[in-house]
Amino acid sequence: MPIELNIDGTLCRAEEDELLATVLLRQPVPLFRNHPVDDSPRAAFCMMGVCFECLVEVDGVKNQQACLIRVKDGMRVNRGLK
Ligand code: FES
């Protein structure tokens, strides 16, 4: 069933219970965050909760692993990309 979520202020469609990381990888800019030390762009790597490259803010909670989260209607995601 199609749902809508908000990614950095833009409404995006996805399938309910799809992995958030797969939705983010389909975006025009498929990045997840910038590294806190050198600002290098980061994206999901392992897709199984090991590498922590997929951290994003979900519904106001920072540092959530997008590869372990299922999307829900109305979810708000902030990647904080620079
Ligand atoms: S992609 Fe590696 S922990 Fe999420």
Side-chain angles (χ1 to χ4, degrees):
M1 182 170 145
I3 59 142
E4 277 192 339
L5 65 158
N6 183 312
I7 300 175
D8 300 331
T10 301
L11 288 179
C12 301
R13 299 191 86 181
E15 291 297 317
E16 188 170 13
D17 289 333
E18 187 174 4
L19 284 174
L20 175 56
T22 63
V23 175
L24 293 176
L25 287 170
R26 285 202 308 268
Q27 299 308 302
V29 178
L31 300 173
F32 287 54
R33 65 188 179 104
N34 292 91
H35 194 279
V37 174
D38 64 4
D39 283 342
S40 59
R42 317 305 287 188
F45 181 69
C46 72
M47 296 296 285
M48 60 182 188
V50 175
C51 73
F52 287 79
E53 294 290 358
C54 63
L55 299 179
V56 293
E57 180 180 310
V58 178
D59 292 333
V61 181
K62 294 183 184 289
N63 298 324
Q64 301 298 298
Q65 289 173 279
C67 69
L68 301 180
I69 294 175
R70 304 277 176 183
V71 296
K72 301 289 181 220
D73 193 41
M75 178 180 273
R76 301 184 69 83
V77 180
N78 183 4
R79 297 181 290 181
L81 296 174
K82 295 179 181 172

